[in-house]
Amino acid sequence: MSSDSGTMLAWTKTKDEQNGMELIEHKIPTPGPGEVLIKTKSTSICGTDLHIWLWDDWSRDNVPLGTITGHETCGEIVEVGEGVSNQKIGDLVAIECHFACWECPRCDEGNAHVCENGEIFGVHSNGAFAPFFVCPEVNARKVPDGISPSHASVQDPLGNAIHTLTGGPIEGATVAIHGLGPIGLFAVNAAKAMGAKLVIAIDWDNKLRMEMAKELGADLVLGKDDDVIKTIFEATAGQGVDNSCEFSGSPNALSNAIKSTRMGGFVNVLSVYGQSMPQVPMNDLVFRYLHLKGINGRKMWSTWETMHDLLASRKLDIERVVTHQLNWKEFQEGMELTKSGNCGKVVLNFD
Ligand SMILES: NC(=O)c1ccc[n+]([C@@H]2O[C@H](COP(=O)([O-])OP(=O)(O)OC[C@H]3O[C@@H](n4cnc5c(N)ncnc54)[C@H](O)[C@@H]3O)[C@@H](O)[C@H]2O)c1
Ligand SMILES: [Zn+2]
Ligand SMILES: [Zn+2]
């Protein structure tokens, strides 16, 4: 097919205000050299999309007005640009939303997810709350057989969860997951699938998500009424967990994570904090000899490979985490649902 003269409607950040998103007409993009055109199958709603919807300071600084948002997506390749050699029309692909230059020192050393010249699809440039989009061919990752198109879009947050977990030991290890949003829930599920000996899942007060964590395999689920640090020590013979992962965005949870990780253990932080200088118990970090690591995106491509192995082995329960599937025109309902927290992952389907 040719995308030449067609138009499409797409959810676009048009106004400098909260929400400020409209379904407006755009030209269907044409794939440039090295790019592919993708017909969207599903795009899931990320916390980042909610930040953009809420139009906080970070969004104002990063998202140009007029941008089509949405970055957690999958679809079918319908056209390839000049020089594209590794993609086939008709393939179902999911998108790695960090677009890298592949030439800078970070890309050279294998850290393309933090490329010096990188940009994020659906944040800095047009994304996938739209029926068509273009992306560099390397960012289109073939979906393993048997994964339904309505579930394939969640590989971005699932990959975040796996990247965070792999910052520390998993197989045979004790793991704590702080914050049971969609990414924390994926992490609970992946930690069990990757052979963790004990998975402790902690939220504040979201009963729905705490219940889901149990169903996804958590051995112990804690909330605001529990003494989190004391209970983690009790559950680990007084040592603390090997691997703490922080997905809540709460400084209180970060502090709990540091204080309940075993001597010489690992604290991996994916969260973005509302306050840029959360209080951190530094002396605990030092005296416990902890490895504290910030996590961003997904490793290209080792996180994707680990994830594809897990998906192919059918050890993950994506279906349970995806609590809501809406039509893409119901974008505003999806954002309200995400804002409410009464959900796991919310996916918008295009057909
Ligand atoms: N670094 C990256 O590349 C990247 C990518 C995606 C998301 N993120 C960040 O990862 C985090 C997780 O995303 P999400 O969409 O799953 O989050 P979410 O906001 O949907 O969920 C956060 C959960 O944490 C719980 N919580 C709040 N306070 C808590 C506390 N004190 N202890 C334990 N739990 C608590 C909430 O009840 C909620 O269920 C967010 O901070 C998000 O901004 C980072
Ligand atoms: Zn995302
Ligand atoms: Zn680079």
Side-chain angles (χ1 to χ4, degrees):
M1 82 153 255
S2 164
S3 55
D4 277 355
S5 53
T7 60
M8 64 179 183
L9 292 172
W11 289 103
T12 312
K13 184 78 198 182
T14 54
K15 296 195 193 116
D16 185 11
E17 59 189 47
Q18 186 166 319
N19 188 347
M21 309 241 356
E22 293 176 294
L23 190 60
I24 60 169
E25 198 166 90
H26 291 257
K27 203 169 173 299
I28 295 176
T30 306
E35 289 183 337
V36 290
L37 175 70
I38 293 168
K39 184 173 189 300
T40 314
K41 292 277 189 195
S42 73
T43 303
S44 45
I45 296 179
C46 174
T48 303
D49 300 314
L50 183 58
H51 284 289
I52 299 171
W53 190 93
L54 292 168
W55 208 227
D56 59 10
D57 291 348
W58 172 87
S59 312
R60 279 205 186 89
D61 290 345
N62 280 279
V63 184
L65 286 178
T67 305
I68 301 171
T69 60
H71 58 275
E72 299 181 358
T73 191
C74 74
E76 181 188 335
I77 297 183
V78 288
E79 191 179 332
V80 299
E82 194 190 314
V84 169
S85 50
N86 292 314
Q87 298 288 359
K88 222 171 68 248
I89 288 176
D91 275 357
L92 179 66
V93 291
I95 303 311
E96 166 51 64
C97 70
H98 287 220
F99 292 179
C101 74
W102 301 105
E103 286 173 352
C104 73
R106 301 291 79 73
C107 285
D108 280 350
E109 73 191 12
N111 287 319
H113 58 298
V114 286
C115 167
E116 303 282 359
N117 310 305
E119 63 173 41
I120 299 182
F121 169 72
V123 172
H124 304 118
S125 61
N126 281 343
F129 288 134
F132 293 92
F133 61 88
V134 288
C135 78
E137 69 162 325
V138 70
N139 289 74
R141 313 303 296 177
K142 195 166 182 322
V143 174
D145 290 342
I147 305 300
S148 88
S150 59
H151 289 157
S153 64
V154 305
Q155 290 175 82
D156 168 311
L158 174 61
N160 284 143
I162 292 169
H163 187 186
T164 309
L165 282 168
T166 52
I170 308 167
E171 195 177 350
T174 52
V175 176
I177 305 297
H178 295 262
L180 302 177
I183 305 181
L185 291 172
F186 281 132
V188 167
N189 195 208
K192 285 306 275 190
M194 294 166 91
K197 177 167 76 182
L198 176 78
V199 175
I200 305 175
I202 307 112
D203 200 80
W204 182 245
D205 61 357
N206 192 315
K207 294 278 181 293
L208 171 77
R209 291 171 170 182
M210 289 162 78
E211 196 48 48
M212 285 169 71
K214 252 182 234 157
E215 292 163 6
L216 289 162
D219 298 289
L220 190 60
V221 180
L222 308 175
K224 70 173 170 41
D225 299 330
D226 297 295
D227 184 332
V228 170
I229 300 173
K230 184 163 167 271
T231 314
I232 290 178
F233 276 109
E234 282 168 3
T236 53
Q239 295 187 352
V241 288
D242 298 311
N243 185 353
S244 290
C245 297
E246 213 298 89
F247 299 105
S248 78
S250 158
N252 179 47
L254 175 59
S255 172
N256 281 347
I258 289 172
K259 290 183 170 176
S260 59
T261 304
R262 64 140 164 99
M263 297 286 180
F266 296 77
V267 178
N268 297 298
V269 182
L270 183 86
S271 285
V272 178
Y273 296 89
Q275 52 194 113
S276 59
M277 301 265 279
Q279 280 200 336
V280 178
M282 275 312 294
N283 290 350
D284 288 273
L285 186 88
V286 171
F287 289 121
R288 301 191 73 74
Y289 188 49
L290 301 181
H291 306 71
L292 176 67
K293 187 174 183 184
I295 306 284
N296 191 350
R298 296 140 298 278
K299 290 279 276 184
M300 301 175 207
W301 302 100
S302 59
T303 304
W304 283 85
E305 285 154 9
T306 304
M307 176 164 61
H308 283 179
D309 287 348
L310 281 169
L311 286 169
S313 70
R314 302 284 182 272
K315 284 187 183 155
L316 298 175
D317 191 355
I318 305 293
E319 215 151 312
R320 202 177 288 279
V321 184
V322 176
T323 51
H324 295 80
Q325 297 198 42
L326 306 176
N327 183 274
W328 73 286
K329 295 275 176 69
E330 298 171 299
F331 169 84
Q332 295 289 2
E333 289 84 339
M335 294 308 296
E336 292 292 347
L337 198 52
T338 303
K339 187 148 70 82
S340 77
N342 294 322
C343 57
K345 198 70 186 168
V346 179
V347 173
L348 304 181
N349 290 321
F350 282 72
D351 43 39

